[in-house]
Amino acid sequence: MRFGILGPLEVTGGDTGGSTDGSTDSGPVASYAPQAAKLRVVLGTLLVRANEVVSSESLIDELWPEAPPRTATTTLQVYVSHLRKTLRSADPANGRESLVTRRPGYLLRVGPDALDTMAFEDLSRRGHQALRAADFGAAADLQRRALALWRGPLLSDTPHGPLLDGAAVRLGEARSTVLDERIRAELHLGLHRELVAELQELVAEHRMHEEFHAHLMVALYRCGRQAEALRVFAMLRRTLVEELGIEPGPASRQLQRRILEGDPALSTAGTGTRSAAGSAVRSGAAAAAPADGAEGWSPALGALPPADPHFTGRTAELAELEQLLRSAPAGGCVAVTGLPGTGKTALAVETAHRVADAFPDGQVFLDLRRGSGPPPTGAEILDRLGRAPLTGRRVLLVLDHVTSETQVRPLLPLAPGSALLLTAGRVPAGLPGLRPVVLGPWRPEESRRLAGLFTERGRSAPEPGAVDEIAGLCGGLPLAVRAAAARLAARPHWTPATLAERLRDEGGRLDTLRAGDVDVRARLLEAYAAAPDAQRRAFRLLSLLPPGRFGARQAAAALDLAEPRAAAVLDVLADERLLAVDRDGCHLPELLRLLGVERLALEEPPEVRRAAAERVCRAYAAAAAQPGRPADADARGLVRLARTAYEAGLWALAVRLTDATGGWVEEDAEAAYTLALDAAVRCADRSAQARMERALGDLAWQYRRAERAHELYAGALAHAREAGDQEETARALVGLAELRLDAGSAAEAAALLEPALAALPAPGRTRGRYEASRARALLALAQDGPEAAETARAWFGECLTLAGALRDQRLEVYARRSLRALSATAGGGAAARRAVEIRPGLWRIQPAGVRS
């Protein structure tokens, strides 16, 4: 079964005997492409993201970009079912199993030879490598085969939503790059005459594409048509001036000069357009043209981008940057650095506008992004920039997306009165006098100023709590908050509460934070891709740690390293801005952590993920085994790791981690204990099964589901006795006794508590003994008279002693509070004690006049 999306959607089955790489197929071929447009949308979206999980939300947005119906989720499931049937028709043996449900959506498994986009990317990558190695024949052949896979625009018979639109732009740019490289290689091979007609068509279609115009100028010049080559330049210049108000770039201008001069080097086949444009001039001087067009660097040079009318926050950073630039010494250099998505460029542009009066000769803006190729060198930047704008003038030079100090050093020192403001992921080391301003997420008080971003299209201002939650789920990153606001603006039927609900789903959060050309995942991926392989792997493995702070010990478990080496890795990741560090330790910013989870699933084999998960879970379980109850955040982390262990099939560890929470599971408690109960059953641990059933019984009792609580306590009692576990036997009996006490059967409750206390004699400093003593005190409170109060006081006193031995402050506070309540109602009996705290934080309110 093979798929084609570079043109109309195609699904072919049968013995094709070939591949999608442009070679000849043989054998019978049957077409099974879905006829319904909606089915093509679902299949096309899954193919564009082949072998990746596509969330249900993304598929719904692709199917209904404006307003999805209320039945969207159910309808999507129907479409997926139809697709499975279509795929089974194309491949009866494996087709249905190729489309799998994978939280939070679906994944389509596609082999490397079965999808034309994969073949295109492989051929173009090999062609690019051949071109760089000067193997022009191989480069031309490989890129020609890559282009032959295109049968038309991406999924030309399929409606496009936001995801397919973005893919169409990306692949369209990739196709243009491949076409450029193919022409470049063929010029090196001396095929200029064969290329003229094609290039004339290309420049007519792409009127502002300088590389195609340069190729045509060289081809015409080599054909002896010098005047026509110069007319091509004049046409390009007229187009750029009239439509954009800019001149052609230095490479095009230098090529024009060389044609005017009749440079004989231009006539030599084998030099190609890059040489012809002056990247290796005859004098041996430094390169005068930007790098290969195939590498995609066409930097924006000129005036600042316009000020953002929605810019908000960063008050302190703005003030600091303004002060630094206004007081900068001659040739001063200031850097804005920080985590990806923190708004470095936006802050730099806003600052430059605010200090414009300090630089009367203007500002020069240079964006150094270069696409998929290596970053531009300092010599290339200097050539692109030229010295003229900076000589003897008071200018602010803004360099965006600097990756190395070597890009900046050739520009220094600047003239007196000028200054350099740069943005970079990390602080460029080794630049004299550099003063950095490091950005983190928005501060909480700043996020409250964001309500204006969520009030477009006539919406009323959202509640401050909703804005706080959205900003928190976005990790406080300005880029993410803006993406969320844009997503809300594009969905008139959504409210801020709807947006917050979508963002709470971790599996689909990065999909939600994509709107138009604002794509948080893509921005984070840029920072991830820029890091070396070793750092990327460490980043992926650290995403196994629960959210929140961690240190070298926890990192060592994830990375399978000794603590000193793990600490060194953390330092490097912090430098790469893939990790945040403060006084309290390290942490992965939440959206980066979610990216790490995605990349871990995509790039690491299952056995590596399982081994790393086991190391992490064991380390946290061992740390949590210390006496005392974990803090809330730690308990939530243990619950998350218990789920990780369960999903990895580490049943005993899932139980152990759930036990380590000490019962402090407040969110999704029932789900957590249900998962651990299943793990206990799978590893045949009867004692653990009893603990989880008893914990679930406690929850059912708290929610007044008495029958379910009785069923669970009874099951726990049976399994505890089967395992010979006295502790859990006692706690199950306490649970049953409290049910009877609730029902007004004090005698039956007492009968159940006696064996519970007998199972755990007083010297045993256990939680079971504590719970039995607490229940015995409550039984006494259900009686009248001074003796009952004294009995309750004695049992609560034992609770206090046991809580101290258990080193559980929460239980200790409960015991003290209960003793104080007894003193306050001394002599009043049960009628005066209508409100009784039966467990920490859980009260029973007894109506007046009712006696137990």
Side-chain angles (χ1 to χ4, degrees):
M1 181 166 54
R2 293 186 174 85
F3 303 93
I5 61 175
L6 298 177
L9 177 62
E10 284 187 352
V11 182
T12 55
D15 182 13
T16 59
S19 68
T20 57
D21 66 355
S23 57
T24 303
D25 291 344
S26 62
V29 177
S31 175
Y32 299 90
Q35 298 301 309
K38 294 292 190 186
L39 290 182
R40 291 199 301 274
V41 170
V42 177
L43 180 55
T45 304
L46 291 169
L47 286 168
V48 162
R49 299 272 293 275
N51 300 313
E52 297 181 28
V53 176
V54 182
S55 70
S56 297
E57 180 193 338
S58 294
L59 290 167
I60 289 170
D61 287 344
E62 203 68 24
L63 286 162
W64 300 282
E66 294 301 325
R70 291 186 350 186
T71 59
T73 301
T74 302
T75 305
L76 172 61
Q77 292 168 351
V78 172
Y79 289 157
V80 170
S81 177
H82 281 306
L83 274 181
R84 286 193 172 114
K85 294 177 182 176
T86 299
L87 297 174
R88 184 171 55 188
S89 298
D91 183 355
N94 306 303
R96 184 177 178 85
E97 287 69 29
S98 62
L99 176 53
V100 298
T101 301
R102 182 76 56 80
R103 186 179 180 275
Y106 302 94
L107 179 145
L108 183 61
R109 297 192 182 107
V110 179
D113 298 328
L115 180 59
D116 55 2
T117 52
M118 291 183 177
F120 169 77
E121 289 168 351
D122 177 64
L123 288 166
S124 63
R125 176 184 55 78
R126 289 158 54 197
H128 178 72
Q129 292 171 345
L131 183 64
R132 293 180 71 87
D135 187 351
F136 303 116
D141 176 65
L142 288 163
Q143 303 297 36
R144 197 178 296 116
R145 287 164 58 192
L147 292 167
L149 293 170
W150 285 76
R151 297 168 287 109
L154 178 78
L155 293 167
S156 55
D157 62 343
T158 302
H160 285 204
L163 193 150
L164 291 183
D165 273 341
V169 171
R170 175 178 63 82
L171 287 166
E173 287 295 324
R175 183 180 184 278
S176 293
T177 297
V178 169
L179 179 59
D180 175 80
E181 291 196 354
R182 194 216 83 206
I183 293 170
R184 192 183 301 277
E186 290 179 347
L187 282 172
H188 276 282
L189 295 172
L191 301 176
H192 42 273
R193 294 188 184 277
E194 292 84 348
L195 286 168
V196 168
E198 179 184 4
L199 284 167
Q200 286 174 330
E201 184 178 348
L202 285 171
V203 298
E205 181 182 355
H206 304 279
R207 297 172 56 245
M208 288 178 281
H209 195 298
E210 290 196 44
E211 289 289 342
F212 289 156
H213 285 77
H215 292 326
L216 178 56
M217 290 165 68
V218 171
L220 287 170
Y221 183 81
R222 289 182 181 172
C223 292
R225 298 157 68 176
Q226 179 181 7
E228 292 179 65
L230 291 171
R231 278 198 295 271
V232 171
F233 177 82
M235 178 179 64
L236 169 66
R237 181 180 181 279
R238 184 168 57 251
T239 300
L240 293 177
V241 169
E242 290 178 356
E243 298 196 20
L244 299 178
I246 62 173
E247 293 284 341
S252 299
R253 295 198 302 272
Q254 185 172 14
L255 178 56
Q256 180 211 24
R257 288 194 298 270
R258 295 179 67 187
I259 291 173
L260 286 168
E261 295 167 0
D263 188 344
L266 288 179
S267 301
T268 305
T271 58
T273 313
R274 183 177 181 183
S275 260
S279 64
V281 294
R282 289 164 299 176
S283 64
D292 240 329
E295 294 162 359
W297 185 51
S298 181
L301 174 62
L304 286 172
D308 182 357
H310 296 294
F311 186 89
T312 187
R314 300 299 190 197
T315 306
E317 291 88 349
L318 272 170
E320 181 180 3
L321 282 170
E322 186 170 352
Q323 190 274 332
L324 287 173
L325 288 171
R326 289 185 181 278
S327 62
C333 184
V334 179
V336 180
T337 72
L339 296 168
T342 48
K344 297 182 287 293
T345 300
L347 178 61
V349 170
E350 180 70 16
T351 303
H353 279 287
R354 295 193 181 199
V355 299
D357 60 297
F359 301 94
D361 294 320
Q363 299 104 349
V364 178
F365 182 86
L366 190 62
D367 187 344
L368 304 185
R369 282 177 294 192
R370 198 211 256 293
S372 60
T377 65
E380 290 172 337
I381 296 169
L382 187 61
D383 178 74
R384 179 74 172 106
L385 182 65
R387 281 292 181 183
L390 306 179
T391 304
R393 304 170 71 190
R394 296 172 63 188
V395 173
L396 175 63
L397 173 60
V398 182
L399 290 184
D400 198 19
H401 300 102
V402 170
T403 57
S404 168
E405 64 274 8
T406 59
Q407 296 176 306
V408 181
R409 193 173 288 116
L411 307 177
L412 301 175
L414 298 177
S418 291
L420 171 62
L421 174 61
L422 63 89
T423 71
R426 58 186 297 181
V427 178
L431 294 178
L434 176 72
R435 286 166 294 182
V437 173
V438 182
L439 298 187
W442 264 323
R443 291 180 289 275
E445 61 271 17
E446 289 181 313
S447 69
R448 298 188 182 99
R449 303 175 187 171
L450 307 177
L453 294 175
F454 298 91
T455 57
E456 295 181 5
R457 295 197 178 185
R459 284 192 176 92
S460 58
E463 293 292 328
V467 175
D468 286 347
E469 183 181 12
I470 290 170
L473 290 168
C474 291
L477 291 183
L479 179 69
V481 174
R482 289 181 179 275
R487 193 66 181 270
L488 185 63
R491 298 287 186 276
H493 55 288
W494 281 15
T495 65
T498 308
L499 175 62
E501 183 180 356
R502 297 293 184 99
L503 291 171
R504 288 186 202 113
D505 174 19
E506 289 188 1
R509 190 177 303 169
L510 291 177
D511 288 321
T512 300
L513 294 174
R514 182 176 62 243
D517 60 352
V518 182
D519 188 340
V520 174
R521 178 189 279 109
R523 178 64 189 88
L524 298 180
L525 275 172
E526 289 178 16
Y528 170 78
D533 288 345
Q535 275 70 60
R536 291 202 301 270
R537 183 174 186 275
F539 169 75
R540 295 193 296 269
L541 290 173
L542 288 174
S543 71
L544 284 165
L545 301 178
R549 301 255 182 329
F550 59 86
R553 180 172 56 83
Q554 292 86 353
L559 303 176
D560 199 17
L561 295 174
E563 280 192 41
R565 289 190 60 196
V569 171
L570 295 179
D571 289 339
V572 174
L573 285 174
D575 289 340
E576 295 289 344
R577 295 294 186 252
L578 293 175
L579 183 75
V581 182
D582 55 30
R583 296 177 182 176
D584 299 323
C586 305
H587 74 278
L588 287 176
E590 186 60 8
L591 297 184
L592 276 170
R593 186 186 68 81
L594 296 180
L595 179 73
V597 171
E598 286 187 357
R599 303 319 301 176
L600 182 72
L602 290 170
E603 298 183 39
E604 296 291 349
E607 60 274 15
V608 171
R609 298 199 303 269
R610 189 179 192 277
E614 183 170 5
R615 293 194 304 270
V616 169
C617 290
R618 288 192 184 283
Y620 274 79
Q626 303 302 320
R629 183 185 295 275
D632 285 7
D634 294 337
R636 282 191 288 271
L638 292 171
V639 171
R640 184 183 289 267
L641 285 175
R643 190 182 310 120
T644 298
Y646 181 87
E647 291 171 353
L650 303 167
W651 317 121
L653 266 176
V655 170
R656 186 178 167 193
L657 287 159
T658 306
D659 279 336
T661 66
W664 201 319
V665 184
E666 297 179 356
E667 299 175 6
D668 299 325
E670 192 165 9
Y673 284 122
T674 300
L675 211 64
L677 174 58
D678 186 65
V681 172
R682 289 173 181 268
C683 62
D685 186 338
R686 293 289 178 264
S687 183
Q689 192 172 344
R691 292 195 300 277
M692 300 312 149
E693 286 175 323
R694 184 258 310 153
L696 286 167
D698 288 345
L699 289 170
W701 174 76
Q702 289 178 36
Y703 289 109
R704 317 311 296 159
R705 300 197 295 264
E707 290 186 11
R708 177 61 177 158
H710 187 277
E711 177 186 344
L712 287 162
Y713 285 142
L717 181 60
H719 289 117
R721 284 172 170 168
E722 182 181 347
D725 187 333
Q726 289 186 310
E727 170 83 3
E728 281 307 313
T729 296
R731 296 193 68 174
L733 286 168
V734 168
L736 290 169
E738 289 197 89
L739 285 176
R740 301 316 303 149
L741 193 58
D742 264 357
S745 302
E748 293 180 28
L752 288 165
L753 288 175
E754 290 307 320
L757 289 164
L760 299 169
R765 305 300 190 184
T766 67
R767 178 65 182 271
R769 178 75 188 185
Y770 177 96
E771 296 298 344
S773 299
R774 176 188 58 79
R776 189 65 185 81
L778 295 175
L779 178 63
L781 285 177
Q783 314 298 318
D784 283 327
E787 288 187 10
E790 286 305 313
T791 302
R793 195 185 314 280
W795 286 112
F796 277 132
E798 180 163 347
C799 284
L800 183 60
T801 301
L802 290 166
L806 291 167
R807 294 172 60 182
D808 192 321
Q809 187 177 11
R810 186 166 177 252
L811 298 183
E812 187 174 346
V813 168
Y814 165 78
R816 292 186 186 280
R817 198 160 52 226
S818 298
L819 287 168
R820 284 198 302 271
L822 274 174
S823 299
T825 58
R833 296 187 294 274
R834 291 189 293 111
V836 179
E837 188 178 10
I838 53 179
R839 293 189 184 187
L842 186 66
W843 296 75
R844 179 192 293 126
I845 308 299
Q846 180 173 292
V850 175
R851 298 278 299 272
S852 296

